[in-house]
Structure formats: structure tokens, C-alpha cells
Amino acid sequence: MHHIYETLVNAVRAEYLSGEQDYPWIIGFSGGKDSTLVAQLVFAALMDISPSRLNRKVHLIANDTLVESPLVVSHLMQSLQEIETGALIHDLPLKVATTTPELAHTFWHLLIGKGYPSPNQQMRWCTDRLKIQPTSRYIREQVTANGAAIILLGVRRNESEVRRRRIDSYQNDADSSLSPHNSLVGAYIYRPIVDLTTDEVWELLSSFPPAWGGDNSRLVKLYRDAAGGECPIVLSQEDAPGCGTNSSRFGCWTCTVVEKDRSLQGFVDSGNVQYAPLIDFRDWLKEIRNDQTLRQSRRRSGKITVANGRLVPGPFTVAARQMILERLQATEKAYGARLISDAEIEAIHRAWAEDLIQQNQREYISE
Ligand code: SF4
């Protein structure tokens, strides 16, 4: 294991020092095992470079959907804090940042303010707005400021492919270490742990504590209690096959795309009953989605949609949206912590007022 770790740190170190331009590195950090290992390798590599050669800026960015599973968010925030402090102590050019969706695109604003029906497989309106756009915006800003940026991801090939490649005599330089990003012009992807197996990732994390301090026991416990899985940083719809499926157990706590929130349920089952109100709310939200009495016949644009001779229901009615907000606020009380911000509530009230004014105008015109 020692040999693998050293080889990986050396490869990251060499990559950092390569290239004529010091385009910034951006580490997509989810707090899960893969991106933690990447962050750890980068940190160790930076510590191994003399200060005069630390000319490339490294950004470690985490995205907070504002409806993150509470299990993940506390681990994530603690990790960010530890990394930031470590970078400060060792005087490394590493900046920690959190991205969030715009107020107009938060889960609550779209669901309760605009009445979007809770997301499902056919209408997954959330991934782009909650995850892809905030991260992409940060990357684009860096590309604009520096001419290009390199994104470090903890993605890995699937296990059988790793084995096959190793049998085919593994050669790292068969691929260039950077590949252009599909949709973000000027952004390149670097995947430092692409050829590791899941077992190797765990072995490395448990054998080598992060250079910023502490160890990875909180991470190990999180996975154990939440029954594994993770929701990696998401940069495009193709990157997100696991987002909102049962293989992603660390998604939003509100996710109605999955049948059951297995990670939170796992926590409740292991005695953390404080999360039970969140599960109840999510289950209820999923249940009411297709209740026609809670949906408008018209879309917000005023149009009526008919498919296969049947009316396609529009958004939740304003009365239903009010009911959802009330239930969410009751859930907050039962849970004992905020689940929606004051800014979101204000934006929701404005969206209701706009919709009611438009509905009244339509009725007035048709009379
Ligand atoms: S975890 Fe679920 S709710 Fe969150 S962005 Fe993914 S699909 Fe949407």
C-alpha cells in the first residue's frame, strides 16, 4: 500500500509542476471516499513541493444543495474546516469554497414557490439547478479569470475495467492525464485515482491519515452507518447517473426520485431517531405528487397540455404549496433545526403572489 500511495502522490506532484501555464486546479469535493482521497493526495503533494514552486492555485469546492442529507452536510463542513485550517498552517496555495444554488433555483423555491411537482425519474428538474449549475458557474469564473482551469475528480473506472487494463499491462501514459470537459469550454479533467479499485481506496484511506490532521474514521463511520454509496460532485447530466437512484445514498434528504432514502433510514434504524421527521416529510411529498386535486389544470404559462387524450396536470396549486410549506415548518419544529431559510420563504411568498395575480388576470380576460 505504501508504494501505491507514494506513486500516486508523486504523480500528482509531477502533474502540478507540469505545463507551461499554472492554470488553477479545482478539486470537486463531495466529502465522499473518492474525493477525500484525491484531496489527501493533492495536500500531500503540495507539502512535498518547495514554497517557491507553489505557483498554481488550488481550489477545493464543495456544493451544498441546501437540502443535503444532514448526515453528509455535517461531515462535509467539518472536513472543509479541517482542510482550510491545514492549508493555512502549512501556507499552501489552497482555497476552500462552497457553492450553492441561486435563490431562484433552490429546491424549496421551485417546489413550494413555483409549484414544480416533486422530482421523479421523468421530471428530474433538480440535478441541473442544485448541483450542475452552481459548480459550473464557479469553474467558468476561474476559466474566464485564468484562460483555463483543470478540474480534479475522484472518478474511477469500474472494477472490471481496472482489472482488464492491468492485465493489458497498465500504462498510465497511454492516456494524456488531462482530457477536455465535454461542455465547459476551457476546462480540463484530471482523474488522479482513475485506476484504483474500491478496496484500494478504502485501504489507502485507512492506512494514510490526511496531512491536514486527524484521520478518516469519521468518513468510515459515515459510510458504515449510512450503508455506503455516495453522490459525487456532478458536472453534467451524464456524470449523474447515480443522482436520484438507489445507488446514490448520499443525495438530498428531500429526494423523491428514489423509492426510499436508505441512508437516512439506516441511521434511524441504528438509533438516530431525530431524522425520522425528515423521512416522514419526504415520504409524504412523494405520496402527494400525483394527487390531481393538488395540481392546477393549467401550467404557469396559462397553457393546458393534453397528451394521449388526457390532461397533463400542471404545477401544485397555490393552496397545495401553502400546505407543503406548513408541513415543512412543522417538520422543522419536530426536527429542531432550520430546513428552509427566511430568504427562501420571502421568495416563495413573492412567487405565490405573482401566480395569483396572473391567474386572476386570466380569469378576468376570459369573463
Ligand atoms: S439527489 Fe435527488 S433531489 Fe437531489 S439533485 Fe439528485 S435527483 Fe434531485
Side-chain angles (χ1 to χ4, degrees):
M1 268 300 125
H2 197 82
H3 169 67
I4 299 184
Y5 195 75
E6 216 174 322
T7 308
L8 290 167
V9 173
N10 285 340
V12 171
R13 185 180 181 280
E15 189 64 39
Y16 180 89
L17 295 171
S18 74
E20 283 163 23
Q21 304 274 352
D22 290 323
Y23 294 129
W25 275 11
I26 302 175
I27 307 174
F29 187 73
S30 71
K33 64 182 189 314
D34 297 323
S35 61
T36 299
L37 182 58
V38 170
Q40 219 177 293
L41 295 172
V42 172
F43 204 100
L46 293 181
M47 285 184 60
D48 202 23
I49 296 173
S50 66
S52 64
R53 299 179 77 193
L54 287 174
N55 299 321
R56 193 193 288 275
K57 278 236 166 65
V58 180
H59 302 247
L60 183 131
I61 57 164
N63 186 54
D64 178 0
T65 55
L66 305 178
V67 280
E68 289 295 319
S69 172
L71 313 174
V72 180
V73 89
S74 66
H75 162 72
L76 181 65
M77 294 307 160
Q78 276 188 59
S79 303
L80 294 179
Q81 185 72 56
E82 288 163 6
I83 297 169
E84 194 169 35
T85 309
L88 214 68
I89 291 170
H90 296 285
D91 202 15
L92 301 178
L94 190 151
K95 179 185 167 194
V96 170
T98 309
T99 54
T100 51
E102 289 172 18
L103 183 58
H105 286 172
T106 71
F107 188 85
W108 299 131
H109 184 245
L110 294 171
L111 179 98
I112 305 177
K114 303 225 162 165
Y116 282 30
S118 347
N120 64 9
Q121 274 305 346
Q122 288 72 43
M123 214 191 144
R124 204 179 63 171
W125 45 262
C126 41
T127 312
D128 185 49
R129 293 171 173 97
L130 304 186
K131 295 187 169 178
I132 300 173
Q133 287 186 22
T135 311
S136 304
R137 206 182 321 125
Y138 191 97
I139 295 167
R140 263 198 303 271
E141 280 165 13
Q142 288 305 317
V143 170
T144 309
N146 301 284
I150 297 159
I151 308 162
L152 279 73
L153 294 178
V155 288
R156 292 180 298 108
R157 290 180 217 280
N158 66 41
E159 313 277 296
S160 55
E161 218 184 314
V162 171
R163 262 194 303 276
R164 183 182 56 71
R165 275 173 57 94
R166 282 196 178 147
I167 294 162
D168 288 356
S169 92
Y170 168 68
Q171 275 191 323
N172 198 17
D173 57 5
D175 294 328
S176 154
S177 40
L178 300 185
S179 50
H181 187 272
N182 292 346
S183 50
L184 291 166
V185 179
Y188 296 84
I189 306 276
Y190 170 36
R191 303 170 299 170
I193 60 163
V194 69
D195 284 316
L196 293 185
T197 63
T198 305
D199 284 349
E200 284 167 337
V201 170
W202 280 124
E203 278 173 48
L204 291 170
L205 286 171
S206 45
S207 312
F208 298 91
W212 55 76
D215 58 29
N216 288 316
S217 56
R218 195 177 62 232
L219 179 72
V220 173
K221 186 174 180 326
L222 177 66
Y223 273 79
R224 203 181 41 229
D225 291 351
E230 69 191 285
C231 202
I233 203 98
V234 179
L235 294 175
S236 69
Q237 292 286 356
E238 301 86 71
D239 289 344
C243 186
T245 68
N246 282 331
S247 69
S248 129
R249 285 146 222 172
F250 288 164
C252 310
W253 72 266
T254 52
C255 187
T256 47
V257 180
V258 285
E259 261 324 298
K260 284 267 165 224
D261 186 331
R262 291 197 286 156
S263 64
L264 265 188
Q265 189 62 55
F267 249 63
V268 171
D269 293 346
S270 56
N272 294 277
V273 286
Q274 70 270 32
Y275 299 119
L278 304 191
I279 296 180
D280 289 347
F281 178 87
R282 188 216 76 104
D283 290 352
W284 173 76
L285 199 56
K286 191 169 170 68
E287 245 169 61
I288 62 164
R289 184 189 196 280
N290 293 330
D291 181 339
Q292 307 283 325
T293 64
L294 301 177
R295 304 274 293 268
Q296 293 176 191
S297 49
R298 288 175 186 275
R299 309 203 156 259
R300 295 182 64 252
S301 62
K303 285 204 184 105
I304 288 187
T305 311
V306 178
N308 301 328
R310 289 177 57 183
L311 179 78
V312 179
F316 284 123
T317 61
V318 173
R321 300 177 215 173
Q322 282 168 333
M323 177 181 76
I324 299 173
L325 180 60
E326 276 163 27
R327 177 111 177 196
L328 176 63
Q329 288 174 321
T331 305
E332 267 187 337
K333 281 214 181 82
Y335 178 55
R338 292 302 302 266
L339 297 169
I340 183 171
S341 68
D342 289 340
E344 283 176 298
I345 296 176
E346 258 174 54
I348 285 169
H349 286 150
R350 276 199 301 276
W352 289 349
E354 276 165 28
D355 277 16
L356 288 173
I357 290 169
Q358 276 189 5
Q359 282 169 21
N360 287 343
Q361 277 172 349
R362 270 196 297 273
E363 277 163 28
Y364 178 73
I365 291 166
S366 63
E367 266 170 16

